[in-house]
Structure formats: structure tokens, C-alpha cells
Amino acid sequence: MDFSWTEEQEIWRRTVRDFAQKKIKPRVREIDTNKKIPVEIIKDMGKLGLLAPTASQDYGGAGVDWTMASIAAEELGRADISLAIPVLYLVEAAWGFIFSRYGTDKIKKEYLNKVTSGEAFCGIAVTEPEGGSDILGAAKTKAEKKGKNWILNGEKIYISGISESSNWGGVHLTLARTDPSKGHKGFSFFAVPLKDMKKIETTLFEDMGRMGISTGGFTMNNVELPDYNLIGDLNRGFYYAMEGFSAARVLIGATCVGASEAALELGIEHIKNRKAFGRPLGSYEGIQFPLAEHHCNIDAVKLQVYRAAWVMDRMYKDKKANHNDVALAAAIAKLRAPIYAFGVMNEVADWLGALGYTKEFPVEMGIRGVRSYSIGAEGTMNIMRIIIGRELLGKEFLPYK
Ligand SMILES: Cc1cc2nc3c(=O)[nH]c(=O)nc-3n(C[C@H](O)[C@H](O)[C@H](O)COP(=O)(O)OP(=O)(O)OC[C@H]3O[C@@H](n4cnc5c(N)ncnc54)[C@H](O)[C@@H]3O)c2cc1C
């Protein structure tokens, strides 16, 4: 057991922190207000290897492992408490990895190089109007083979990065039924471009938080895609989706650690300086005790997140863990991270008094942003509990079978 970082990990953390603190942190309020991540930040992220960093170097990725990817996620969360840039980062890191691992060379040449340089977006489209948790029951989107091409029909909703994909270009890895008789073994994944696609209509939602990245949906009406847009093997899409979700959940946890630490640091600065009844707020037990609790919660989540990243590295690099190990470790991290992060941010807002309720102080962006993770992005909290229950009790205890 060794809790220290390697030299390479420390250099990577310093590099990402330096960039994020200088170039991102001063612009977070602007990003939240303008509902847009400035293009120069995206381009700089591309140059640093922060866009789909887990993608193969053959396609411009940095080919980093999951511990390194989590370190960057933590640093981006620390700099952008609104969590918009961290969301863009983690979606592309998780799904860019799946794209890089399973996509055909032809589709990757067309899009992945552009994703890693910041000229295109790579997202995920699983959720449908009738439900996201029970996608097996809810999924209506179908892909049918016609000659050499695929015809896709259906609707995806609550999807991150719709404006980004429609404006910059890029693909959403989209789950569709290719053999409806086979349940979860009858889904496939397709790379669906949204920009200038005549038979695709997009919609947008006004979100509560993480305003710098859009959420919306798209309807496909006889969209024709070449065979090379199929990701990986036919009828393996559900498995690829689960693989990507685990990765995204670990990175969500890492962004929460960074954002929580940033919020707590702001709170500590305030309670050291603000006086009430003749003494600094921080000298009262009523303030110190929650401070200690939140510090311990962040520390616990940090250990869970980096253990999950380590389990992923053991699976992908050493083949000493399997997808179930990863799913369990990722679900544990995702179940705790957004709840604890919300708790810290909410507490810090209290310490601030009225200032905590204003837009003069950044923590309100964090409160709005982190709820996206606990409400549903990359799986709801009850879905995390179902995964943990499944791993503890066995598949025969799945409540929805
Ligand atoms: C900000 C944001 C961004 C998102 N981005 C994407 C994206 O990029 N791509 C994508 O595909 N999806 C995305 N989603 C959708 C997300 O994956 C879904 O919201 C999530 O899977 C839940 O689906 P749902 O919203 O339909 O809620 P439902 O599935 O209807 O669930 C509603 C509630 O019921 C609970 N519930 C459901 N089943 C059970 C059960 N068996 N036992 C106990 N409780 C249960 C859930 O936990 C939840 O609290 C995003 C969501 C948000 C909020």
C-alpha cells in the first residue's frame, strides 16, 4: 500500500493546476453568465491533452490512465466550481475513451482528431423520454440495416453537449436497439453527428446549473449512417455504455473532490477573518465541528475516487480486475461524491451569511452545478445503490428483473 503520487503524476497535477487556476478560474462567472465556454479555453485544453485525454495518441489523445485522468478532473473541479468545464472534460474523457477503443479507424479519423484538438465534441446519448434509469424498458430508438447503411429512428433526451455538437461538429455515441428480441444483448452503439444533419432535430433545455455546457435532446427521423459509424461489435452497445458510465462516474467523483476542496478553502478563509460576538467565526465549535466533518467527508470521497481509478487501471493495464470490480468502485464513489460536495457548498454558503446567497460569491454556482450529478447525470443515486446491491447480493437480487 502506497498513498504517494509518482513524479509523473505530480508534474501532471502541477501542470493542470497551473493552467486551470490561471486560465479557467478567473473566467468561471463569465462562463456561467454567458452559458458558453470560451473557445480559447477549449483550444488550450486541447493543447494540454485535456480533451478526451484517455483517447489513443494515434488520434491526438494523451493516452493517460484513469489515475491521471482523475487528477486532471480534480484540478478542473477545483478551478471551475460551476462544474461546466469539468463536465465537458469528463464526458469526453469517458466517451472519447469508448470511441477510441471501439470505433472504426475511418470514423475516428473523421472525428476523434477534431475532438482531441477542440474542434469537435464527443458525447453520449442513452436516455430517452420514457426513462433513463430503466433504459431496457424505455428504449424505443432503433437502428435497422438497409444495404450497407443503418437507418436510425428515435428520440434522445437530457443529453449533455447538444449545442456544442451541433455548432462545433462531433458525434454523440448513441444507443439503439438492433435486435429488439434480445433485451440488453440487442443494443448497438452508433456515432451520430448532429451538425448539419437534415433528418435530426435538436432541442435545448434551460438548466439549473453548469451553465457553460448545454443540455438538450435530438430526434432522428430515418437518419442514414454508413456501417463504419457502428461502434465496436453489433449488439454489444449496452456493455460499452456500462463501461463508459463507470469511467464517467469515477471522473464525476474526482471533479466533486476538487470543487469541494475549493469551496472549503473559501469557507476557511472567511471563518478565519469574519468576526461575530468579538471573535472570528472559526473559533466557535458550532463552526469548527461541521468544518471537521466536511473535511473528513472530502477525504473519504478522495480515497474512494482514487481507489476506483486504481481499480480501473488494474483492469485496463494489468487485467487484475474486471468490469464488476470497476462498476462497484465507481458506484461507491459516485454515490458519495456529489452528496458530500453539495453538503460542503451548502455549509460554506451558511458561513458566508447573506453574501453566500449572492452572485458576488462563487459557491452558489457550485450548489447549482453539483446537483446535476446527484439528480441524474451518468446515473441517479438510486441506480448507484442498485449497482452496489447487485454486487453485494448477486444478479438474482436485481429488483427490476
Ligand atoms: C444535467 C444532466 C445531464 C445529462 N446528460 C446526459 C447525457 O449526456 N447523455 C444521456 O444519455 N443522459 C444524460 N442525462 C440523463 C440521465 O442519465 C438521466 O437523467 C438518468 O439516467 C435518470 O433518468 P430519468 O431522468 O429519466 O429519471 P428516471 O429514470 O425516471 O428516475 C426518476 C427517479 O426514480 C428513481 N428510480 C428509478 N428506478 C428506480 C428503482 N428501481 N428503485 C428506486 N428508485 C428508482 C431514480 O433514482 C430517480 O430518482 C443527463 C441528466 C442530467 C440531469
Side-chain angles (χ1 to χ4, degrees):
M1 184 76 56
D2 181 355
F3 286 95
S4 59
W5 303 108
T6 64
E7 200 186 337
E8 188 193 12
Q9 288 162 348
E10 277 180 357
I11 292 170
W12 175 239
R13 183 184 290 283
R14 273 202 303 276
T15 307
V16 180
R17 182 176 293 189
D18 190 52
F19 161 74
Q21 292 294 316
K22 281 191 192 137
K23 296 281 173 78
I24 295 177
K25 193 175 171 188
R27 302 189 71 177
V28 174
R29 177 60 72 189
E30 171 199 334
I31 291 169
D32 193 69
T33 307
N34 295 349
K35 300 178 184 156
K36 201 170 169 226
I37 302 168
V39 68
E40 57 275 19
I41 290 185
I42 301 285
K43 288 282 159 66
D44 283 348
M45 286 176 72
K47 283 183 202 146
L48 264 185
L50 289 171
L51 298 174
T54 48
S56 154
Q57 291 176 338
D58 296 342
Y59 300 96
V64 300
D65 65 18
W66 294 99
T67 305
M68 296 282 268
S70 300
I71 290 170
E74 186 188 337
E75 291 307 324
L76 293 172
R78 186 189 307 282
D80 177 5
I81 199 172
S82 85
L83 296 170
I85 289 176
V87 167
L88 180 125
Y89 167 84
L90 79 90
V91 167
E92 292 196 335
W95 301 103
F97 174 74
I98 297 294
F99 190 23
S100 171
R101 191 168 164 86
Y102 298 112
T104 59
D105 275 346
K106 194 162 164 61
I107 193 76
K108 286 191 287 196
K109 278 192 183 124
E110 213 168 312
Y111 289 103
L112 193 51
N113 285 309
K114 289 185 183 160
V115 171
T116 52
S117 61
E119 293 153 284
F121 182 78
C122 175
I124 163 73
V126 168
T127 310
E128 300 206 5
E130 286 182 29
S133 304
D134 175 20
I135 196 65
L136 276 182
K140 299 267 183 296
T141 298
K142 272 199 283 188
E144 287 161 309
K145 196 87 191 260
K146 187 179 152 199
K148 285 188 175 166
N149 290 346
W150 290 94
I151 308 295
L152 273 74
N153 281 288
E155 184 178 358
K156 297 289 174 183
I157 196 166
Y158 312 126
I159 307 301
S160 303
I162 293 293
S163 289
E164 288 72 8
S165 205
S166 318
N167 296 330
W168 310 348
V171 286
H172 271 78
L173 306 189
T174 301
L175 197 65
R177 286 193 196 272
T178 34
D179 187 345
S181 68
K182 285 197 180 147
H184 71 285
K185 293 184 177 162
F187 283 94
S188 301
F189 240 165
F190 293 88
V192 176
L194 300 185
K195 191 177 178 186
D196 302 328
M197 288 288 281
K198 288 203 175 61
K199 293 176 177 175
I200 294 185
E201 271 183 42
T202 58
T203 50
L204 289 173
F205 293 105
E206 179 79 9
D207 278 329
M208 181 198 295
R210 47 161 248 183
M211 308 307 283
I213 179 161
S214 65
T215 314
F218 61 95
T219 308
M220 295 172 289
N221 193 1
N222 288 322
V223 170
E224 197 161 344
L225 295 175
D227 198 33
Y228 64 80
N229 283 45
L230 174 68
I231 301 291
D233 293 334
L234 187 65
N235 293 331
R236 292 286 301 169
F238 192 79
Y239 296 97
Y240 303 148
M242 296 305 123
E243 192 178 345
F245 280 134
S246 288
R249 287 165 190 161
V250 176
L251 298 178
I252 280 181
T255 67
C256 285
V257 170
S260 306
E261 285 179 342
L264 202 63
E265 279 161 22
L266 287 168
I268 287 173
E269 200 184 312
H270 182 77
I271 60 177
K272 277 176 149 176
N273 294 307
R274 176 79 169 180
K275 285 192 178 137
F277 303 97
R279 286 159 55 189
L281 287 175
S283 65
Y284 295 104
E285 283 179 351
I287 303 284
Q288 271 184 29
F289 284 9
L291 166 68
E293 292 293 332
H294 289 302
H295 173 76
C296 291
N297 287 346
I298 298 170
D299 200 49
V301 164
K302 200 170 189 168
L303 291 169
Q304 289 175 344
V305 164
Y306 283 103
R307 183 194 48 194
W310 172 79
V311 173
M312 288 186 73
D313 287 335
R314 266 169 80 82
M315 178 173 83
Y316 288 112
K317 291 206 277 193
D318 307 330
K319 298 192 170 44
K320 286 185 178 161
N322 60 36
H323 286 288
N324 288 51
D325 301 325
V326 167
L328 176 62
I332 290 171
K334 209 234 168 182
L335 183 60
R336 284 288 175 267
I339 301 298
Y340 284 168
F342 180 81
V344 174
M345 292 166 181
N346 215 24
E347 185 82 44
V348 170
D350 279 341
W351 293 345
L352 265 292
L355 181 61
Y357 195 61
T358 68
K359 292 198 171 185
E360 301 294 313
F361 206 73
V363 83
E364 61 83 28
M365 291 187 279
I367 291 173
R368 289 187 280 114
V370 80
R371 282 295 273 136
S372 73
Y373 293 156
S374 54
I375 284 179
E378 314 280 0
T380 70
M381 305 318 258
N382 277 350
I383 293 302
M384 299 311 110
R385 295 183 178 102
I386 287 171
I387 292 168
I388 295 165
R390 178 192 75 194
E391 293 307 316
L392 296 179
L393 298 172
K395 274 188 186 158
E396 62 276 25
F397 284 85
L398 271 176
Y400 49 79
K401 270 213 158 174

